[in-house]
């Protein structure tokens, strides 16, 4: 009954590889997000997406790209992985009724380690 | 974007009331104040949200003074399981992309 689920929970890979992280939400929410939490525990938004609009944080390298096959899924593709990409990546979702700033529901994260 | 400032860490004992204050001096008219809780190896979890005065739910209370330049999260009678990082966020009610997580306050509850 997990509301926002991410797979895999752990991902260990080598520099230069391409990898994907999957996210699914069963809450019927309209908007989904990807966040990066670095070693200092700062949470930074990377993308927000609904079926009409993708908003990208300007600091995110174009090696990162969100893919949404449908409203309940927002996957994160990362090309040419670098050491600095090591972090925990969180997916989240929120409803979009009566405007924004709705509480977000987070998954439990994917810990990405680059060797 | 309204910036928030919170204490880096706080210690408390079981059964005590804990108050965590967040400063947001340049909060805008449309901004709401939201608090999240994060346990190790888990994603943040929504606790409470408010615009002004006082909001209370089954988990916490949120006190917001008239000038809205600060807010206080109040956790009644904490237990060991309340040990977590607490984040204060300020964001435009019409734009979720405006939300920014700060460093948070690491609360440690001791027996």
């Amino acid at each position: 009954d997990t509301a926002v689920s991410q797979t895999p929970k752990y991902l260990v890979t080598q520099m230069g590889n391409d990898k994907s992280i999957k996210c699914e939400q069963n809450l019927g929410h309209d908007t989904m997000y990807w966040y990066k939490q670095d070693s200092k525990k700062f949470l930074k938004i990377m993308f927000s997406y609904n079926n009409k609009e993708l908003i990208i944080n300007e600091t995110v390298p174009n090696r990162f790209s969100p893919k949404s096959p449908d409203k309940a899924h927002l996957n994160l593709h990362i090309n040419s992985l670098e050491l600095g990409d090591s972090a925990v990546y969180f997916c989240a979702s929120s409803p979009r009724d009566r405007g924004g700033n709705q509480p977000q529901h987070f998954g439990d994260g994917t810990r990405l380690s680059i060797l | 974007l309204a910036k928030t400032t919170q204490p880096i860490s706080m210690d408390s004992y079981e059964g005590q009331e804990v108050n965590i204050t967040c400063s947001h001096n340049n909060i805008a008219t449309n901004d709401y104040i939201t608090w999240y809780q994060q346990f190790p190896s888990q994603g943040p979890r929504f606790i409470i949200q408010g615009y002004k005065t006082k909001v209370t739910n089954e988990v916490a209370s949120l006190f917001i003074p008239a000038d809205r330049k600060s807010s206080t999260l109040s956790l009644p009678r904490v237990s060991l399981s309340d040990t977590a990082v607490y984040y204060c966020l300020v964001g435009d009610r019409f734009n979720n992309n405006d939300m920014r997580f700060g460093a948070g306050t690491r609360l440690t509850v001791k027996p």
Side-chain angles (χ1 to χ4, degrees):
Chain A
D1 284 53
T2 304
V4 180
S5 59
Q6 301 178 223
T7 54
K9 189 173 178 65
Y10 299 96
L11 182 56
V12 181
T13 189
Q14 291 189 329
M15 205 165 44
N17 285 349
D18 302 337
K19 290 294 179 183
S20 295
I21 306 172
K22 295 184 178 180
C23 178
E24 176 182 6
Q25 55 95 4
N26 62 5
L27 297 167
H29 287 169
D30 296 297
T31 307
M32 297 183 72
Y33 312 81
W34 277 105
Y35 285 82
K36 178 182 180 181
Q37 187 168 41
D38 60 24
S39 57
K40 295 183 179 179
K41 304 300 183 184
F42 286 105
L43 265 164
K44 295 181 181 179
I45 189 167
M46 301 175 69
F47 305 101
S48 76
Y49 183 80
N50 62 29
N51 55 9
K52 296 180 181 178
E53 187 178 23
L54 170 65
I55 298 178
I56 302 172
N57 184 320
E58 63 276 6
T59 66
V60 175
N62 58 15
R63 299 181 294 104
F64 291 80
S65 57
K67 306 287 184 187
S68 181
D70 56 58
K71 181 178 160 181
H73 297 81
L74 184 66
N75 304 323
L76 182 65
H77 294 265
I78 316 170
N79 295 324
S80 303
L81 281 158
E82 301 178 357
L83 291 175
D85 297 333
S86 294
V88 181
Y89 292 84
F90 288 98
C91 177
S93 70
S94 68
R96 196 173 173 78
D97 53 335
R98 303 193 306 276
N101 209 346
Q102 299 292 330
Q104 297 179 38
H105 296 250
F106 285 79
D108 284 336
T110 296
R111 184 174 297 276
L112 173 64
S113 299
I114 310 301
L115 303 178
Chain B
L1 298 177
K3 181 181 176 181
T4 59
T5 303
Q6 307 172 231
I8 293 175
S9 63
M10 293 181 67
D11 290 342
S12 182
Y13 291 92
E14 281 190 294
Q16 289 187 334
E17 177 184 78
V18 171
N19 295 309
I20 306 174
T21 297
C22 178
S23 297
H24 27 80
N25 290 321
N26 58 341
I27 189 169
T29 302
N30 281 340
D31 286 347
Y32 272 63
I33 301 156
T34 310
W35 286 80
Y36 286 82
Q37 174 192 56
Q38 186 177 25
F39 297 114
S41 301
Q42 293 186 23
R45 183 173 70 100
F46 170 81
I47 301 176
I48 198 166
Q49 184 180 80
Y51 184 79
K52 62 180 179 181
T53 62
K54 177 183 174 182
V55 179
T56 297
N57 61 24
E58 64 277 6
V59 176
S61 294
L62 179 60
F63 298 92
I64 305 168
D67 65 6
R68 305 203 321 125
K69 292 183 183 298
S70 67
S71 58
T72 299
L73 174 72
S74 181
L75 304 172
R77 298 180 299 281
V78 294
S79 63
L80 295 177
S81 63
D82 292 317
T83 294
V85 178
Y86 292 83
Y87 294 96
C88 164
L89 285 76
V90 172
D92 188 321
R93 63 171 297 184
F94 296 109
N95 183 6
N96 239 352
N97 305 306
D98 195 34
M99 302 287 283
R100 293 292 182 268
F101 282 82
T105 297
R106 182 174 298 278
L107 173 65
T108 302
V109 180
K110 303 175 181 178

